[in-house]
């Protein structure tokens, strides 16, 4: 593509991207969602943007407040997409999630198994909307282990 036809990252997604980690899903209405971490004003925010049949829609802030966020992910449910990320909360890494349902953000859900840090996670949704999250944790003398 010629340089004159290229758009900057900010023009493409509306908000700069602070990492090379992206999450994506296609919702039940056919929109394609992408989520990423943006480093605005010296702190991280999780953002998401849907693309529908008429093109890109508005970029949304998933997290209402800045924090230490990494590893964005997205899963589709019949009620709306759920966005997940790791957050440094209360002195350890946990998985947080938030659903965008009927044009509104729902309350955050936090997954912090036991007293261990979440070192990584994967998420998937079943057809009925049940979301499964597998997290790898480490802490104390336990070593790393998956938790569901």
């Amino acid at each position: 593509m010629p340089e004159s036809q290229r758009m900057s990252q900010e023009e493409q997604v509306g908000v700069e991207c602070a990492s090379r980690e992206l999450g994506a899903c296609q919702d039940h209405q056919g929109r394609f969602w992408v989520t990423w971490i943006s480093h605005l004003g010296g702190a991280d925010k999780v953002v998401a943007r849907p693309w529908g049949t008429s093109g890109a829609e508005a970029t949304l802030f998933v997290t209402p407040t800045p924090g230490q966020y990494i590893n964005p992910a997205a899963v589709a449910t019949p009620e709306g997409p759920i966005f997940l990320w790791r957050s440094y909360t209360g002195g350890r890494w946990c998985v947080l999630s938030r659903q965008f349902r009927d044009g509104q953000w729902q309350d955050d859900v936090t997954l912090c198994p036991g007293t261990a840090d979440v070192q990584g996670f994967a998420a998937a949704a079943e057809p009925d909307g049940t979301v499964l999250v597998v997290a790898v944790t480490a802490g104390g003398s336990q070593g790393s282990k998956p938790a569901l």
Side-chain angles (χ1 to χ4, degrees):
M1 173 182 295
E3 189 68 36
S4 63
Q5 292 180 350
R6 292 185 186 171
M7 289 188 292
S8 73
Q9 176 178 280
E10 194 164 325
E11 289 172 315
Q12 291 175 30
V13 297
V15 176
E16 56 112 0
C17 185
S19 73
R20 294 189 174 132
E21 298 175 335
L22 300 171
C25 70
Q26 184 172 6
D27 69 19
H28 290 245
Q29 288 74 44
R31 292 183 301 179
F32 181 73
W33 289 83
V34 176
T35 184
W36 66 96
I37 307 296
S38 183
H39 194 71
L40 296 170
D44 297 335
K45 283 203 164 197
V46 180
V47 293
R49 187 168 197 180
W51 276 262
T53 55
S54 53
E57 299 175 22
T59 300
L60 306 171
F61 287 99
V62 178
T63 51
T65 58
Q68 285 184 278
Y69 307 133
I70 56 175
N71 307 124
V75 295
T77 71
E79 293 81 28
I82 296 177
F83 300 94
L84 305 96
W85 63 95
R86 283 197 305 145
S87 174
Y88 194 71
T89 305
R92 63 189 176 132
W93 288 99
C94 299
V95 176
L96 273 67
S97 68
R98 198 162 193 218
Q99 186 172 42
F100 191 67
R101 183 182 333 145
D102 298 325
Q104 300 290 318
W105 288 109
Q106 305 305 302
D107 292 338
D108 288 358
V109 175
T110 302
L111 171 65
C112 278
T115 59
D117 277 324
V118 174
Q119 294 186 329
F121 72 95
E126 294 183 345
D128 69 358
T130 301
V131 176
L132 303 172
V133 178
V134 177
V136 175
T137 62
S141 60
Q142 299 174 31
S144 293
K145 63 180 184 178
L148 179 62

